[in-house]
Amino acid sequence: MNLIVAKDKRMLQLNELDEFRMDAYENAKLYKERTKKLHDKYMQRHEFTPSQKVLLFNSRLKLFSGKLRSRWSGPFTIVQVFPHGAVEVAHETKGTFKLNGQRLKAYWGGDFEKEKDMTA
């Protein structure tokens, strides 16, 4: 057995493994960038102003089971808009609190019912 040839062959195999690992790393990075771009494309950007009326999405509402229960509560009034999407809202009974602006949507007025009509 020639040890020099075996050593060179083994070094070549190790280098190929390093190349495969680097290619896999680059492919994962490209995949993450593409999925982030696709996700951000479908996100809705909301511009809120103080004294605007909004509805709050309650993702933890588990009091009444069933899909006819609305998860939007409100209307709330915006007190202050912070950078990076944070919003301070006020409600006449619940006081003021800060939350993520992605949980809000604009309220256009009218009667807001907490439960949908089941007769329609």
Side-chain angles (χ1 to χ4, degrees):
M1 258 177 83
N2 191 353
L3 292 178
I4 296 173
V5 174
K7 179 181 118 181
D8 290 341
K9 185 176 179 183
R10 183 64 179 156
M11 287 299 291
L12 183 64
Q13 289 174 346
L14 289 173
N15 288 338
E16 286 177 355
L17 284 175
D18 281 342
E19 286 181 30
F20 286 142
R21 184 177 55 84
M22 290 303 291
D23 287 341
Y25 177 76
E26 285 296 319
N27 287 339
K29 183 179 175 183
L30 291 173
Y31 173 76
K32 286 180 184 179
E33 287 174 359
R34 276 192 227 128
T35 54
K36 180 175 177 9
K37 189 175 182 181
L38 180 69
H39 181 275
D40 289 345
K41 184 173 99 173
Y42 290 109
M43 293 213 39
Q44 295 179 352
R45 303 285 181 214
H46 296 292
E47 296 293 327
F48 296 114
T49 58
S51 76
Q52 181 182 3
K53 298 280 187 180
V54 292
L55 297 176
L56 171 64
F57 183 75
N58 187 0
S59 61
R60 297 183 182 200
L61 183 64
K62 302 290 183 193
L63 298 175
F64 302 103
S65 63
K67 50 188 160 182
L68 297 177
R69 175 91 174 137
S70 177
R71 291 187 165 199
W72 293 97
S73 60
F76 294 91
T77 306
I78 293 182
V79 176
Q80 186 177 1
V81 179
F82 297 98
H84 306 294
V87 178
E88 184 175 357
V89 296
H91 193 266
E92 55 269 357
T93 59
K94 299 176 184 174
T96 63
F97 52 94
K98 277 188 198 177
L99 50 90
N100 188 350
Q102 292 179 350
R103 294 179 58 198
L104 300 174
K105 72 176 179 180
Y107 175 65
W108 300 108
D111 281 338
F112 181 76
E113 299 177 14
K114 295 216 179 232
E115 294 186 32
K116 295 180 183 175
D117 188 13
M118 296 175 56
T119 59

